[in-house]
Amino acid sequence: MQSTLSIHRPAGLHVALIMDGNGRWANARGWPRLAGHREGARTVRTIVEAAPGLGIGTLTLYAFSSDNWGRPSREVAGLMRLFRSYLAAEAQRCVENGVRMRIIGRRDRLPEVLVRQIDAAEGATAHGRRLTLRIALDYSARDTLMRAAATLSATAEPTREQFAAAMAGAMGEQVPAPDVDLLVRTGGEQRLSDFLLWESAYAELYFTPLAWPDFTPAALGQAVDWFHGRERRFGRLKESA
């Protein structure tokens, strides 16, 4: 259920995280893949707690893509249970730490009990002002783009602002999130995997071989430091001194 509160977006960076490597991390230890996902959930807690101190105002986590439905049913069912337990356990912690939680993506294919948990977590954390935490569940950037385009089909020449608003609506948000400043992918792969394609048009891309369960606040700090060393021109030339 959407909050009726006015939307407040904390100042700071928008960092997006592709949390990759849980299954491989577990397999390397002879453990089932779900053990890696459970450890990854603990990593989420430490990263969320550290984010505001690193100048991050919006944090978007890629938790479950629309293509992940194609994984073995046992793993998918385990992930759905893990999402429920995470939301139940972390909502109050988010309230105490000033974190506003939003779930983006489709909800019609999620278990009804999980949707109820999402509604409860969003409602409980609606007053958060320190950090906006966006969790992408059953999310596909391409599908979101298609839904946004469909809503604007009668508009002759929509502006970027109108399209961004349509994108937000397609993700269940009232207003667009700020563009991504820094996109980090763990696990050693170097691809976007259908994540925030519109919002990441000028994002700096940072890839690390660390599996997500091994990603620490210090590792996030290194990525943020690297970002601040980048020269961002957004297609323009650097002004002469």
Side-chain angles (χ1 to χ4, degrees):
M1 182 180 297
Q2 296 235 1
S3 169
T4 58
L5 295 172
S6 61
I7 300 302
H8 173 89
R9 292 191 304 213
L13 298 177
H14 182 181
V15 174
L17 285 166
I18 300 177
M19 306 179 293
D20 196 17
N22 290 336
R24 280 169 282 148
W25 182 91
N27 289 340
R29 290 159 174 75
W31 299 346
R33 289 177 57 85
L34 280 173
H37 294 308
R38 284 191 291 270
E39 190 65 29
R42 284 189 278 270
T43 298
V44 169
R45 172 185 289 178
T46 63
I47 294 302
V48 170
E49 291 178 346
L54 295 170
I56 298 170
T58 303
L59 184 66
T60 304
L61 308 179
Y62 203 8
F64 189 85
S65 80
S66 296
D67 289 330
N68 286 156
W69 290 113
R71 291 189 176 188
S73 59
R74 183 174 179 179
E75 181 175 355
V76 170
L79 284 168
M80 295 298 133
R81 290 192 299 269
L82 182 60
F83 296 147
R84 283 175 52 199
S85 63
Y86 174 83
L87 293 172
E90 296 302 313
Q92 184 56 39
R93 185 182 296 269
C94 286
V95 171
E96 294 168 357
N97 290 310
V99 177
R100 180 176 185 263
M101 188 185 297
R102 289 291 305 161
I103 307 303
I104 63 173
R106 293 181 59 170
R107 301 191 187 189
D108 57 302
R109 298 188 292 196
L110 299 177
E112 184 177 346
V113 66
L114 175 56
V115 174
R116 290 198 298 269
Q117 194 70 58
I118 289 171
D119 290 342
E122 289 183 335
T125 64
H127 291 275
R129 295 293 183 267
R130 191 162 175 248
L131 175 73
T132 297
L133 172 63
R134 303 163 77 233
I135 301 175
L137 285 180
D138 195 0
Y139 174 84
S140 161
R142 290 186 293 185
D143 288 351
T144 303
L145 286 162
M146 290 170 61
R147 290 197 298 275
T151 65
L152 293 173
S153 60
T155 305
E157 295 185 14
T159 65
R160 290 185 180 183
E161 290 76 14
Q162 288 174 314
F163 198 85
M167 289 279 291
M171 291 186 288
E173 296 186 295
Q174 292 173 292
V175 296
D179 285 346
V180 175
D181 297 298
L182 171 64
L183 188 147
V184 178
R185 181 171 187 146
T186 65
E189 302 292 352
Q190 299 186 21
R191 54 179 176 264
L192 296 179
S193 296
D194 197 18
F195 185 47
L196 300 180
L197 302 180
W198 170 271
E199 301 90 329
S200 298
Y202 278 100
E204 301 293 330
L205 309 182
Y206 183 93
F207 302 104
T208 172
L210 290 173
W212 177 247
D214 292 330
F215 194 72
T216 63
L220 178 60
Q222 290 176 355
V224 171
D225 287 344
W226 173 87
F227 168 83
H228 285 304
R230 299 288 297 166
E231 182 181 297
R232 307 185 78 203
R233 299 192 299 271
F234 300 96
R236 306 177 184 92
L237 295 178
K238 184 179 179 181
E239 293 183 5
S240 301

